[in-house]
Amino acid sequence: MSEVILSREILRELEEIGKRAYPDEGCAILLGDTGNPGIKQVKELKNTADKELSKSFFQVNPIEILDIEKEKNAVITGFFHTHPDQRAVLSKEDEDYMIPGIIYVVMSIVKGSFADIRAYVKEPDCGGIREFDI
Amino acid sequence: MKVYISATLRNFFGRNPVIEISENNIKEILDKLTDEYPEAEKILFDEEGNLRKFVQIYVGDENKTQKEFWSDEIKDNSEVLLLPAVAGGAPRESIISDDRRKAVFFDDSEVERFGRHLLLKDIGVKGQKRIKAARVAVIGAGALGSPVIQYLAAAGVGTIKVIDFDEVKLENLQSQVIHTSRDLNRPKVASAKDKVRNINRNIDFEAANVKLEADNIVSEIDGYDLVIDCSDNFKARYLINDACVLCKIPLVFGAIYQFEGQVGIFNLDGGPCYRCQFPAPPEPGLVPTCAEGGAISPLPGIIGSIQANEALKLIIGIGEHLDGKLLTIDSLYLTSKILKIKKNHSCPICSAGAGITGVEDFDYEEFCGLKEEEQEIPIEGYTPEELAAKIESGEPITIVDVREPHERAILRFPNAIVIPIGQLARRKNELNPEQDTVFICKEGKRSILAINTLREAGYAGPLYNLKGGVDAMKDIVFSHEGAWL
């Protein structure tokens, strides 16, 4: 597998999260079904980074993720975040925080509007990072 | 004690959500987990033995990720949680650091000169300071280099290095607008230097009148913020790309051919490189160079201006750019499109397990098929003088012209038969294997491809190449004519 399938509806939801968070970074968790490829559900996450930092940084309370994985009968497929007025490429920090095998979708929001979306996955051995087709 | 493993990390622990462990501090728990699940060790810890950033350790609802807590005793009824750290930051705004920007100042004349930039909200003083602080290397002072160098100078780039080994020739003046008739036979870098000085004497202009090879490219570009590829051949493109990857310098690529052009940005913050999209060059002779195939005059102006614009956007840190994208423009039908370029995870130069670790160790001549002497069957050729002597002596020979119709219209080769390369194999019976057959093209490269094509098709007669092509034949004067042209 070297592609991520996003329905128009999911894409629209992600765009809305990005636009709503602008000029701060927005973030979400991407959920799928066991045994089925693709992303079936998006759940917005709270960016807990300090107000001054949130324009160029995001972080999520891990307990929020723990609650989601215990509550939801779904598989965690990936994480999503936005880069306000920046490119949809991974920063060094993004790469450092990537868990191998999990899909990371990055959306560029320029002046409040969608500009680009890309998906990346870290190799299982923490080696390189592959870009996936969307 | 129960250790809960987050669903995001479970794959490395036999997909177990909960693991029972008798140890009672984090250090011992981690040791026990990596003993039982050896593949998890590489996931949890980096090469220096530090816990990776994407892992967090909680005891109950308290974050105990920091090493200082790892020896603390944990009560038996507590739950230890291995959770993901989900975080990240935006990529850097500009390729010029804030420290370097802050060290730049303007005098009154500069405020006046760059007023139109300072008025733009997206550039302003901050952006113009970044432009002045920037150090840019432009490779090639030809068709693409002409607009690139002049616009970078006009925009106020503080240091511009131009690398080119060539001299200005009359045929360059059709598209290389940085040079004029007065610059004929001068090194291109000298001509470029004069133009830049006429634009702005305060620019630090560095001229390198050298041919870039594997043994000098790194020292020529190292320390620059950006490289702009304005070269016109595949060997240079791969060499420039590879050196930029190894020196971690972003690259603004540009290329033109006839009416079409391409622009892209490679190797920006570990993004895809030229090789990710084009792992190998086309077979030599298959795609004519710009010198062979021609280009309409304003085309390098269009493509070079976009290269300069992309370079300035990277320096200022604004807008959407062609990072990991390739813009193609057809100036004849005014169409354009942008192709997305993905990073190739097995790229021999920019992937994690890259095979090329130094440009000196890579044979670019062989890679681009330029090593004629090492071909399996060497191609025999005539020099223009030798061919002229054979024609003069009346010796029966067959001359095959493989050039395009529009090239033949510029200069017809007398008594040559015309067979396009694509038809050679099926029309080989038109050739007489009892006599010498000489293949001609513009520069003597496509004719080599033609000979190889015929040999692969099983043609056994003697085949020769006109070395240097029709271009090299121009100065030959036959006894029966006043001049060749």
Side-chain angles (χ1 to χ4, degrees):
Chain A
M1 185 188 77
S2 59
E3 61 177 24
V4 179
I5 298 161
L6 295 178
S7 67
R8 280 179 203 286
E9 208 167 300
I10 296 281
L11 201 59
R12 207 172 309 127
E13 270 188 70
L14 295 177
E15 202 177 321
E16 282 308 312
I17 290 170
K19 285 178 180 174
R20 221 171 19 243
Y22 185 87
D24 293 338
E25 288 201 11
C27 46
I29 189 165
L30 309 172
L31 304 166
D33 287 339
T34 319
N36 286 325
I39 291 155
K40 303 285 179 240
Q41 202 185 340
V42 172
K43 188 171 166 26
E44 189 170 359
L45 297 171
K46 189 171 181 284
N47 182 356
T48 59
D50 289 345
K51 193 64 197 149
E52 311 90 78
L53 291 175
S54 57
K55 283 180 176 54
S56 59
F57 196 79
F58 83 103
Q59 66 180 33
V60 176
N61 182 354
I63 302 297
E64 191 180 354
I65 294 163
L66 177 70
D67 291 344
I68 292 170
E69 62 179 69
K70 281 185 170 171
E71 264 174 42
K72 301 259 177 192
N73 187 20
V75 177
I76 297 175
T77 312
F79 293 100
F80 162 83
H81 76 278
T82 60
H83 284 170
D85 296 322
Q86 291 291 343
R87 293 163 293 135
V89 297
L90 296 171
S91 65
K92 177 76 176 62
E93 271 155 331
D94 288 338
E95 288 186 12
D96 287 346
Y97 283 102
M98 282 172 79
I99 302 165
I102 301 273
I103 297 163
Y104 286 79
V105 177
V106 184
M107 185 182 280
S108 164
I109 301 280
V110 175
K111 292 184 177 169
S113 300
F114 168 83
D116 194 9
I117 185 163
R118 290 179 182 245
Y120 307 89
V121 175
K122 194 184 260 185
E123 297 282 350
D125 59 354
C126 278
I129 286 165
R130 291 177 66 172
E131 185 178 348
F132 276 32
D133 287 327
I134 292 186
Chain B
M1 177 172 318
K2 280 182 179 163
V3 178
Y4 176 83
I5 313 286
S6 159
T8 54
L9 299 167
R10 222 167 272 166
N11 271 351
F12 313 107
F13 297 91
R15 299 214 55 79
N16 289 317
V18 177
I19 298 170
E20 286 280 351
I21 282 184
S22 55
E23 279 69 12
N24 59 3
N25 71 39
I26 291 173
K27 172 86 181 66
E28 287 171 10
I29 289 170
L30 290 173
D31 286 346
K32 182 78 181 167
L33 280 174
T34 50
D35 277 351
E36 271 187 48
Y37 303 94
E39 63 175 315
E41 184 164 7
K42 214 174 161 188
I43 300 300
L44 293 180
F45 299 99
D46 64 16
E47 291 75 17
E48 279 98 52
N50 297 315
L51 193 70
R52 292 199 193 264
K53 279 190 174 174
F54 57 77
V55 184
Q56 294 197 83
I57 304 165
Y58 273 64
V59 177
D61 55 4
E62 285 179 49
N63 189 342
K64 302 281 185 188
T65 310
Q66 296 303 318
K67 256 185 177 165
E68 61 193 86
F69 302 116
W70 288 11
S71 307
D72 295 355
E73 194 177 324
I74 302 167
K75 286 178 189 150
D76 265 355
N77 55 356
S78 310
E79 189 179 30
V80 176
L81 308 159
L82 278 195
L83 299 178
V86 179
R92 62 183 169 153
E93 193 176 302
S94 160
I95 57 172
I96 308 298
S97 71
D98 283 349
D99 289 347
R100 283 174 55 201
R101 169 177 59 86
K102 285 172 187 165
V104 166
F105 295 95
F106 296 130
D107 60 25
D108 288 349
S109 77
E110 286 175 308
V111 171
E112 187 181 346
R113 178 187 280 269
F114 300 117
R116 299 287 189 278
H117 270 179
L118 301 177
L119 279 173
L120 283 172
K121 186 172 76 63
D122 290 329
I123 301 181
V125 174
K126 191 175 171 185
Q128 193 63 40
K129 283 188 171 183
R130 282 178 174 155
I131 296 173
K132 189 175 176 181
R135 293 167 52 79
V136 179
V138 181
I139 302 177
L144 290 171
S146 291
V148 168
I149 296 162
Q150 292 183 88
Y151 274 121
L152 293 186
V157 169
T159 304
I160 301 173
K161 179 174 191 172
V162 176
I163 307 166
D164 200 312
F165 69 97
D166 218 353
E167 290 178 352
V168 180
K169 298 187 200 79
L170 188 59
E171 67 194 42
N172 298 149
L173 302 187
Q174 182 220 340
S175 58
Q176 303 185 13
V177 294
I178 200 166
H179 313 297
T180 64
S181 305
R182 285 159 58 164
D183 299 312
L184 287 174
N185 303 319
R186 293 181 71 202
K188 287 184 177 176
V189 288
S191 169
K193 183 175 184 175
D194 288 351
K195 300 303 171 303
V196 169
R197 300 210 84 185
N198 281 340
I199 294 168
N200 183 350
R201 295 187 80 82
N202 294 328
I203 287 169
D204 191 359
F205 187 94
E206 297 168 7
N209 190 11
V210 293
K211 190 170 169 54
L212 286 180
E213 298 287 355
D215 60 2
N216 65 3
I217 186 163
V218 170
S219 62
E220 291 293 343
I221 65 167
D222 203 15
Y224 288 81
D225 301 307
L226 189 64
V227 168
I228 307 186
D229 178 0
C230 300
S231 67
D232 65 352
N233 63 84
F234 286 102
K235 182 189 157 191
R237 280 176 200 142
Y238 283 97
L239 187 62
I240 293 165
N241 174 72
D242 296 358
C244 283
V245 172
L246 295 170
C247 295
K248 297 188 166 42
I249 304 173
L251 169 68
V252 180
F253 159 82
I256 51 167
Y257 176 66
Q258 296 188 341
F259 295 94
E260 291 174 37
Q262 297 178 337
V263 189
I265 296 173
F266 296 113
N267 194 39
L268 179 64
D269 293 331
C273 78
Y274 181 74
R275 274 187 198 256
C276 291
Q277 176 67 15
F278 305 107
E283 206 175 318
L286 201 62
V287 180
T289 62
C290 207
E292 229 186 352
I296 191 166
S297 292
L299 178 65
I302 298 167
I303 299 299
S305 298
I306 296 174
Q307 284 182 282
N309 201 48
E310 290 298 300
L312 289 172
K313 278 156 56 188
L314 284 178
I315 292 165
I316 302 161
I318 51 169
E320 263 291 295
H321 26 76
L322 292 168
D323 172 32
K325 294 172 190 158
L326 193 69
L327 167 70
T328 64
I329 295 177
D330 181 335
S331 70
L332 192 56
Y333 295 103
L334 294 171
T335 56
S336 67
K337 59 186 173 199
I338 293 178
L339 310 169
K340 253 188 181 182
I341 294 173
K342 281 201 312 177
K343 196 168 168 78
N344 175 4
H345 68 282
S346 52
C347 175
I349 186 84
C350 76
S351 65
I356 306 168
T357 52
V359 283
E360 295 94 335
D361 305 331
F362 190 79
D363 194 335
Y364 289 89
E365 294 277 325
E366 192 182 344
F367 182 60
C368 296
L370 303 173
K371 271 198 174 163
E372 286 172 38
E373 71 274 18
E374 288 189 11
Q375 284 167 350
E376 284 176 26
I377 309 168
I379 305 243
E380 288 184 71
Y382 292 136
T383 62
E385 292 75 17
E386 285 167 348
L387 180 60
K390 278 192 177 289
I391 293 170
E392 289 266 21
S393 71
E395 194 181 313
I397 52 171
T398 309
I399 299 170
V400 181
D401 191 342
V402 297
R403 291 176 302 159
E404 300 289 322
H406 64 272
E407 295 176 281
R408 295 197 306 273
I410 301 167
L411 185 61
R412 197 179 64 83
F413 202 100
N415 302 321
I417 58 168
V418 175
I419 308 179
I421 293 176
Q423 297 177 11
L424 269 173
R426 66 180 157 88
R427 290 175 64 183
K428 62 177 186 286
N429 293 341
E430 292 175 30
L431 306 176
N432 180 359
E434 303 300 321
Q435 68 182 43
D436 291 354
T437 302
V438 185
F439 282 82
I440 61 165
C441 67
K442 188 171 185 291
E443 291 186 333
K445 289 173 189 160
R446 277 176 289 168
S447 44
I448 292 175
L449 182 70
I451 291 172
N452 284 332
T453 306
L454 259 188
R455 278 183 177 158
E456 279 170 26
Y459 183 80
L463 300 171
Y464 295 90
N465 177 42
L466 171 59
K467 291 177 181 170
V470 177
D471 278 359
M473 200 87 188
K474 277 179 188 166
D475 299 328
I476 302 287
V477 180
F478 285 86
S479 58
H480 64 278
E481 60 182 6
W484 181 250
L485 261 170

